[in-house]
Structure formats: structure tokens, C-alpha cells
């Protein structure tokens, strides 16, 4: 079900409303580039600022366009178990193929609380579940023992781990290696040694340069290391540039440079990139013209914008 480059969709806004036309066009561009799946309602999509009706509308648009070409995954995890269950059920009715549940944020539950939270969602919802471990955002991390206990739930099928502590991440991967599919955080992510390599990655930058991200992941999975390194270098520079701003402000600005019809304005409390960050993004994006012919024409004049 999950293969290739999965894209956490950004959400374009037109004033206070979602720009559905720009969103639909963006999805069509990603599918034409060969991405392996779409994810709605993540941090990249400014999920915490979306009303529940908006979040469901985004799922419906994505599933309507994608059809059976690629799966659409809805990020439905919140810091409240009851709210997460309702959101996951609604996403299923809207046509999502799976749900992605982040570890509850802000209230910092214990490991027992994490276990009961995820078990309650899985038992009360029909969608297959991807667990999302993101301690740098939620300030809580799944422990390997908790992961092993959760494996008894048949509704779990994948793990997306963004723990920046390599030792903890490797231990978590090892704890579920024989049961769950694993998803890499980014198309150039390092793989945990001694653990089966992931079959899919989630790449926020695929919103900007989907052809390059798809090609890089393909080279990585086929072991073409020299070509992978050539493609990865300018992509890493772009990642560093967009990371100067909170996600997804830098990413939305980069998209708007390639597609002026796509508004770069995020919802408060996020704001547009500062001038220095915007300049760094333009420089990094212009540097991609060597690696990606699809942005070559659109990047002309970026350094003078």
C-alpha cells in the first residue's frame, strides 16, 4: 500500500478560506510527478489551524482527484483521544485510505497513556493506522516496550518515526521490525543499521520539487549511490533554507516562486518568511536548476526577485 515518496500536502489559503482550486491543481502536479501517496492535515498542511469541516473537505478533494492512483492518508491525531476518534471516523467516511496518529502533544502522557490512547483509536475506528512519533514537536516519545505492546493491535500497520535521537530511533525500529512497515522521514534519510529499509518516505520538500524527490528516493532504493549524492546535495541546501522558518512557511514561499498562483501566506500564528530567509530560499531554489529540469524555466530570475 505504501511505496515511494509520500507528500504531506500544504494547504493554500485565499484570505481566510482554503483555496480549493490551488489545492486541486497542486495535487494534480504531484500526481503527474509520480508521488506514491498524499497526506492531509499534517503540520505541513497547517492541520492545527484547520476547522474539522475544512480538514474533511481537504480529504475529499484529495481522494476525488487521486482516485485509485495513490492512497490518501489523513493526519487525524490530536492531544485528545475522543477528538482523535471522531476525526478518524470522519476521515474514513471522507474516503481516506489510512489515518496517521501523532503522539499526543502538550499534555505529555505517560507510556501507559500513550498505549491506551492508540489502542482506543484503533479499536474504535476502521481505518488502518500509521503511528507518528515526533518527540521534537510533542515532547513525548514512544518507548520500544510500548511499541511492542501496541503490536498486538491488528489495525496498526506502519510507523513514521521522526525522533532525532538516532539510538532511540534505531531501538524503536528494531522493536517493530517484523510487524510494521516503516516510513522514512525524508527522501534522503539515513536508515537504521540492521533493520529492514523503509519502502516509503514522507518528504515535505516534494511539495516544491516532486520530480526531484521522487527520483532521489528511487536512486536511493536501487542503490545508485553516486547519482543519489548528486541529486541530494542541492535538495539538502533547499531543506536548510526552508528550515530557517517554521514549517511550512518556507515551503509555501518556495512553491509560490515556482507557481505564482499559489499563495505563500500561512495562517496565524505563522507568518511569511523574513527577508533574509526568503533570499536564502531563492538562492537554494535557483541552485536546483542543475538537478531538476522541471524547475529550470520557472527559476529564471529568482536571484533578482
Amino acid at each position: 500500500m505504501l511505496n515511494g515518496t509520500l507528500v504531506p500536502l500544504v494547504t493554500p489559503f485565499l484570505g481566510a478560506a482554503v483555496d480549493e482550486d490551488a489545492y486541486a491543481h497542486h495535487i494534480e502536479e504531484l500526481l503527474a510527478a509520480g508521488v506514491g501517496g498524499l497526506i492531509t492535515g499534517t503540520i505541513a498542511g497547517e492541520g492545527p489551524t484547520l476547522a474539522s469541516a475544512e480538514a474533511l473537505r481537504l480529504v475529499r478533494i484529495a481522494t476525488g482527484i487521486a482516485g485509485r492512483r495513490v492512497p490518501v492518508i489523513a493526519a487525524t491525531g490530536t492531544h485528545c483521544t475522543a477528538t482523535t476518534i471522531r476525526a478518524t471516523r470522519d476521515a474514513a467516511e471522507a474516503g481516506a485510505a489510512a489515518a496517521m496518529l501523532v503522539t499526543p502533544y502538550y499534555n505529555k502522557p505517560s507510556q501507559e497513556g500513550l498505549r491506551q490512547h492508540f489502542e482506543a483509536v484503533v479499536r474504535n475506528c476502521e481505518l488502518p493506522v500509521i503511528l507518528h512519533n515526533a518527540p521534537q514537536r510533542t515532547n513525548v516519545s514512544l518507548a520500544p516496550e510500548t511499541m511492542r505492546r501496541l503490536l498486538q493491535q491488528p489495525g496498526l500497520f506502519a510507523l513514521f518515526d521522526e525522533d532525532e535521537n538516532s539510538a532511540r530511533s534505531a531501538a524503536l525500529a528494531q522493536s517493530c521490525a517484523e510487524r510494521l512497515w516503516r516510513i522514512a522521514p525524508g527522501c534522503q534519510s539515513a536508515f537504521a543499521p540492521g533493520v529492514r529499509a523503509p519502502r516509503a518516505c514522507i518528504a515535505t520538500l516534494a511539495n516544491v520539487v516532486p520530480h526531484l524527490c521522487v527520483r532521489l528516493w528511487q536512486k536511493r532504493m536501487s542503490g545508485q549511490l553516486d547519482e543519489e549524492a548528486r541529486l541530494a546535495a542541492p535538495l539538502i541546501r533547499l531543506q536548510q533554507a526552508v528550515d530557517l522558518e517554521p514549517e511550512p512557511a518556507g515551503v509555501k514561499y518556495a512553491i509560490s516562486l515556482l507557481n505564482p498562483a499559489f499563495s505563500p501566506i500561512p495562517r496565524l500564528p505563522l507568518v511569511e518568511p523574513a527577508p533574509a530567509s526568503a533570499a536564502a530560499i531563492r538562492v537554494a531554489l535557483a541552485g536546483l536548476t542543475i538537478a531538476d529540469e522541471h524547475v529550470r524555466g520557472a527559476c529564471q530570475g529568482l536571484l533578482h526577485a
Side-chain angles (χ1 to χ4, degrees):
M1 179 182 178
L2 296 181
N3 288 283
T5 303
L6 315 179
V7 188
L9 294 168
V10 292
T11 306
F13 298 110
L14 193 61
V18 173
D19 187 342
E20 294 188 1
D21 290 340
Y23 182 71
H25 177 75
H26 184 59
I27 290 173
E28 292 284 10
E29 292 287 310
L30 295 174
L31 294 176
V35 303
L38 308 170
I39 312 173
T40 68
T42 65
I43 286 294
E46 296 173 78
T49 74
L50 296 172
S52 58
E54 290 177 319
L56 287 178
R57 179 62 180 156
L58 294 178
V59 176
R60 289 192 174 98
I61 293 172
T63 56
I65 296 172
R68 296 185 177 182
R69 288 182 284 179
V70 300
V72 174
I73 300 161
T76 57
T78 73
H79 61 301
C80 171
T81 305
T83 302
T84 300
I85 291 172
R86 286 195 298 271
T88 305
R89 287 174 170 173
D90 289 343
E93 293 180 2
M100 188 163 71
L101 307 183
V102 73
T103 46
Y105 41 87
Y106 191 71
N107 43 19
K108 297 197 299 182
S110 66
Q111 292 299 311
E112 179 61 17
L114 288 175
R115 182 186 69 81
Q116 291 193 29
H117 168 79
F118 288 126
E119 287 184 351
V121 179
V122 172
R123 288 172 177 171
N124 287 280
C125 300
E126 296 179 356
L127 284 182
V129 167
I130 302 167
L131 296 184
H132 180 194
N133 191 47
Q136 68 275 19
R137 291 190 181 277
T138 65
N139 209 23
V140 64
S141 183
L142 275 169
E145 179 55 33
T146 304
M147 186 76 260
R148 281 188 284 268
R149 295 178 70 187
L150 286 170
L151 294 180
Q152 300 173 25
Q153 301 300 317
L156 299 180
F157 83 101
L159 170 67
F160 175 44
D161 181 26
E162 291 190 285
D163 196 328
E164 295 175 347
N165 183 304
S166 58
R168 284 203 309 256
S169 183
L172 189 62
Q174 192 66 52
S175 70
C176 63
E178 296 181 1
R179 166 73 167 75
L180 299 186
W181 292 36
R182 290 196 309 115
I183 304 170
C187 51
Q188 72 273 16
S189 302
F191 295 162
V195 180
R196 184 175 53 188
R199 296 174 61 180
C201 69
I202 293 179
T204 303
L205 280 185
N207 283 286
V208 185
V209 281
H211 294 88
L212 179 57
C213 290
V214 167
R215 200 156 71 247
L216 176 58
W217 181 253
Q218 291 171 342
K219 300 299 181 185
R220 182 169 183 74
M221 296 306 291
S222 62
Q224 300 179 52
L225 301 184
D226 290 342
E227 182 66 6
E228 176 197 343
R230 184 187 73 82
L231 296 174
L235 194 63
I236 291 172
R237 288 192 288 270
L238 179 59
Q239 185 70 65
Q240 292 169 338
V242 298
D243 283 348
L244 294 172
E245 296 288 334
E247 188 179 359
V251 172
K252 295 182 83 169
Y253 177 71
I255 297 171
S256 73
L257 293 173
L258 301 178
N259 176 14
F262 191 103
S263 172
I265 301 175
R267 276 183 172 169
L268 287 172
L270 298 182
V271 296
E272 292 184 77
S277 301
I281 292 170
R282 290 197 300 273
V283 170
L285 199 53
L288 283 173
T289 58
I290 298 174
D292 193 343
E293 64 275 13
H294 295 278
V295 302
R296 198 165 291 153
C299 284
Q300 290 180 358
L302 279 184
L303 296 178
H304 306 290

